[in-house]
Amino acid sequence: MTSRSVLFIGPYDGPITGESIAFSQVYDNFVGPKCLVDLSKYGKNKVANNFFAIFRYIIILMNCKVSTIYLTNSRTLTGFLKDFIFIQVGH
């Protein structure tokens, strides 16, 4: 990972939904340095997905200069809390 990367946070692999297809297209077609936090890495296990995502997010922010964060937002209360952590830590 080089400096001035764009960090993408969203469902890259996993259940095929409109959100995951759109996110995958944006990530795959982005030209430039990029990092990925996949929110669907552990399938339907939301606890493992959220724990992994927050842990990976913090590691990336500590080791890489991120200029922009692309975050797909959640529509549930627990998803909002996870997104809130992403936004506050990235701020």
Side-chain angles (χ1 to χ4, degrees):
M1 291 178 272
T2 62
S3 63
R4 311 279 308 163
S5 296
V6 174
L7 176 59
F8 290 87
I9 304 172
Y12 186 73
D13 291 327
I16 297 176
T17 63
E19 180 185 16
S20 66
I21 292 170
F23 181 80
S24 298
Q25 289 295 313
V26 170
Y27 180 78
D28 290 341
N29 293 314
F30 179 79
V31 178
K34 57 188 173 183
C35 306
L36 173 65
V37 175
D38 184 5
L39 296 180
S40 61
K41 185 168 182 76
Y42 295 104
K44 293 185 178 186
N45 188 342
K46 291 183 180 183
V47 173
N49 277 329
N50 290 337
F51 178 76
F52 169 78
I54 292 170
F55 180 74
R56 175 126 169 91
Y57 178 67
I58 292 170
I59 296 297
I60 288 173
L61 288 179
M62 289 175 23
N63 295 322
C64 180
K65 281 192 171 181
V66 175
S67 62
T68 306
I69 298 174
Y70 179 86
L71 171 69
T72 58
N73 62 337
S74 301
R75 286 156 181 75
T76 63
L77 179 60
T78 55
F80 167 77
L81 296 173
K82 177 190 64 187
D83 292 347
F84 181 76
I85 292 170
F86 285 137
I87 292 167
Q88 290 301 313
V89 171
H91 190 270

